[in-house]
Amino acid sequence: MGPVTSGAAGAALPPAADPAADQALYRKVGWRIVPLLVVCYIIAYLDRINIGYAQLQMKQTLTFSDAVYGLGAGIFFLGYFLFEVPSNMMLEKIGARKTLLRIMFCWGLVAAGMMFVATPTQFYVLRFLLGVFEAGFFPGMILYLTYWYPSARRGQIIATLMCATTLAGVVAGPLSGGIMKYMDGLNGWHGWQWLFLVQGLPASVLGIVAFLYLQDRPQDAHWLDAAEKRRLQHHIDHDVKPVEGAAHTGAGSLLRDPKVYALSLVYFLLLGATYTMVFWLPTLIKALGVNDMLQIGLYAAIPNAIGVVGMILIGRSSDRLRERRWHFFGCVALAALSLFATTVVQGQFAATMVALSAACIGIAAATPLFFTITTEYLPKATAAVGIALVSSLGNLGAAVSPSVTGLITARTGTPVYSMYLVVGLYVLAGALLLLLVRANRGAAQARLAPA
């Protein structure tokens, strides 16, 4: 059905309320753009975290210490920090297709180049460059989704996108362990060298695919008819947000808003804790007495697989109830309590795996909730810069935390005290967000119909 116009003025009337048409429209949009973004994000995340598996062999062949490994794991985020805001500003000017092509093609080459690392300096340089070239990928995808989805639907869709990180955790274990075990010595290369090559080059290919397949905005989508474009734009233009938003009019008012920096601090704490867990999960499982590389990967996949289910269900609940703050706090509290439990039951394999699985539910669901809140707080005029600014400042937490926890573990000889730090970071992030963000009371009246 085409657009309805008023006979007198010829002006387009708003589309009639039709929940069934809305559900069909967003299913169509979702199936068109989300699967490719998820695959791209899986590859991106693999190239970030595969160092956690590679280091198990790298430290044997290159004699890297835990401190070198921790610094190299974290320095990625320094490059990411420096170039994230410029990248998102560029995306708004040139579009998502060209941005994804630039980012993914370059980072794929650098990720594969990690196989030639021979010294700590080379390790640091390539990790830094990986951050430089990948900068803008994640905030760019979040910004891209705001072009297609109103805030009422972002909790589940951002959780769906970010399930890529947890799916990558599921895939990373068996894939990385298998590559290092079965390809070790092939062509005279170590298993960790094959790991970087096999997981790096697909990013370059996917960058070309994204450029050819995606459209920058809904009005460019040839696969939507005029009525569907009009309905989609109406929902974007008449958004009712679950949290109270800012009134920025430009970059100046954004940069003067203390809540933007407070949100960045929340993300700093959240990401610092999360990436510490991501990088050290293989080591924690190895400490349980599992020495086979493939088995370490398979066991690491279990908590991540459970986390995928949890994050989708929690994101859906947040959209349906139009509530963000307490969902976020519940997630970080679950993560903190479960990780604390791992220090109590340390050495007990089954109990530790149960605690890690519960922790992964909270860890996986917290980040998409945070960015849903961030997109709702920021107005359209400053969303591109604001999302990237919060993400770039927050990513410093991931640069600092693994290095700090690596030093703590090296000094104490046990990961327990590092785990206490991670628990504290999660609790502080949840408490700060509750104090920082206010709910939009009127938004709870407009709840989504079940998908």
Side-chain angles (χ1 to χ4, degrees):
M1 183 176 67
V4 180
T5 59
S6 64
L13 294 174
D18 188 342
D22 290 342
Q23 293 293 343
L25 172 60
Y26 286 107
R27 276 197 299 270
K28 187 175 184 179
V29 171
W31 280 111
R32 175 71 189 196
I33 68 173
V34 174
L36 178 58
L37 294 181
V38 168
V39 172
C40 290
Y41 199 13
I42 287 174
I43 296 299
Y45 204 69
L46 279 176
D47 288 338
R48 288 191 199 183
I49 69 170
N50 58 15
I51 190 66
Y53 295 93
Q55 59 93 19
L56 296 176
Q57 281 188 347
M58 289 176 74
K59 287 191 295 188
Q60 299 171 9
T61 60
L62 300 178
T63 64
F64 283 4
S65 67
D66 283 339
V68 169
Y69 160 67
L71 179 58
I75 204 170
F76 164 92
F77 297 97
L78 295 180
Y80 203 90
F81 164 74
L82 292 174
F83 289 89
E84 199 161 9
V85 172
S87 179
N88 237 31
M89 294 174 69
M90 185 68 71
L91 183 150
E92 205 168 36
K93 291 183 178 180
I94 69 173
R97 297 166 60 246
K98 292 179 180 177
T99 300
L100 284 176
L101 174 62
R102 170 184 59 81
I103 288 174
M104 298 191 69
F105 190 82
C106 293
W107 109 50
L109 296 181
V110 174
M114 286 284 296
M115 68 181 295
F116 299 114
V117 162
T119 67
T121 299
Q122 293 173 352
F123 181 47
Y124 299 150
V125 169
L126 283 181
R127 286 291 295 179
F128 177 79
L129 288 177
L130 188 64
V132 168
F133 287 121
E134 193 180 323
F137 177 76
F138 174 69
M141 287 194 300
I142 297 297
L143 178 65
Y144 184 61
L145 290 177
T146 67
Y147 298 158
W148 299 83
Y149 291 91
S151 60
R153 296 180 181 273
R154 283 184 205 152
Q156 183 175 341
I157 204 64
I158 292 178
T160 301
L161 172 67
M162 294 198 67
C163 77
T165 63
T166 313
L167 286 172
V170 175
V171 173
L175 179 61
S176 300
I179 289 172
M180 290 194 297
K181 180 176 181 179
Y182 296 113
M183 299 186 74
D184 190 34
L186 185 64
N187 199 44
W189 292 342
H190 298 292
W192 63 266
Q193 292 177 296
W194 281 109
L195 175 64
F196 288 128
L197 180 65
V198 171
Q199 295 184 3
L201 289 182
S204 297
V205 176
L206 282 171
I208 298 172
V209 173
F211 176 77
L212 297 174
Y213 182 75
L214 294 177
Q215 284 74 46
D216 288 328
R217 292 187 183 255
Q219 56 264 37
D220 302 322
H222 58 84
W223 41 272
L224 292 176
D225 63 34
E228 290 171 327
K229 292 178 182 179
R230 182 166 159 267
R231 179 174 290 276
L232 188 61
Q233 194 60 50
H234 176 78
H235 289 313
I236 298 294
D237 292 340
H238 297 81
D239 205 1
V240 180
K241 301 179 178 181
V243 302
E244 289 186 3
H248 307 147
T249 56
S253 55
L254 169 75
L255 295 175
R256 291 191 298 270
D257 183 355
K259 282 192 176 183
V260 170
Y261 301 102
L263 281 170
S264 301
L265 177 58
V266 172
Y267 193 43
F268 178 98
L269 299 170
L270 177 65
L271 208 60
T274 297
Y275 269 92
T276 297
M277 286 307 304
V278 167
F279 289 138
W280 291 102
L281 181 60
T283 302
L284 290 175
I285 292 175
K286 187 176 182 180
L288 294 172
V290 182
N291 293 309
D292 183 85
M293 292 295 176
L294 181 58
Q295 288 184 1
I296 290 173
L298 290 171
Y299 284 125
I302 295 173
N304 285 296
I306 294 172
V308 169
V309 178
M311 72 190 299
I312 297 295
L313 293 179
I314 291 170
R316 181 176 297 180
S317 170
S318 178
D319 277 350
R320 183 174 56 85
L321 298 175
R322 304 304 308 278
E323 199 287 320
R324 308 297 190 200
R325 299 160 67 248
W326 287 103
H327 277 76
F328 177 83
F329 184 81
C331 288
V332 293
L334 175 63
L337 288 172
S338 301
L339 292 175
F340 179 76
T342 65
T343 67
V344 176
V345 300
Q346 57 179 317
Q348 301 177 40
F349 183 86
T352 299
M353 291 300 295
V354 169
L356 287 174
S357 297
C360 275
I361 294 175
I363 292 169
T367 303
L369 283 170
F370 172 80
F371 273 99
T372 302
I373 292 168
T374 300
T375 62
E376 291 169 355
Y377 177 73
L378 295 168
K380 187 180 299 185
T382 58
V385 176
I387 292 169
L389 180 62
V390 169
S391 179
S392 63
L393 292 174
N395 266 287
L396 293 177
V400 172
S401 184
S403 300
V404 172
T405 53
L407 289 173
I408 292 173
T409 301
R411 292 288 181 87
T412 62
T414 174
V416 171
Y417 296 101
S418 295
M419 195 66 69
Y420 291 157
L421 175 61
V422 170
V423 168
L425 293 177
Y426 277 126
V427 172
L428 189 55
L432 183 57
L433 188 128
L434 279 181
L435 293 172
L436 175 66
V437 178
R438 294 183 179 180
N440 180 359
R441 301 299 180 187
Q445 305 303 318
R447 294 181 177 176
L448 285 180

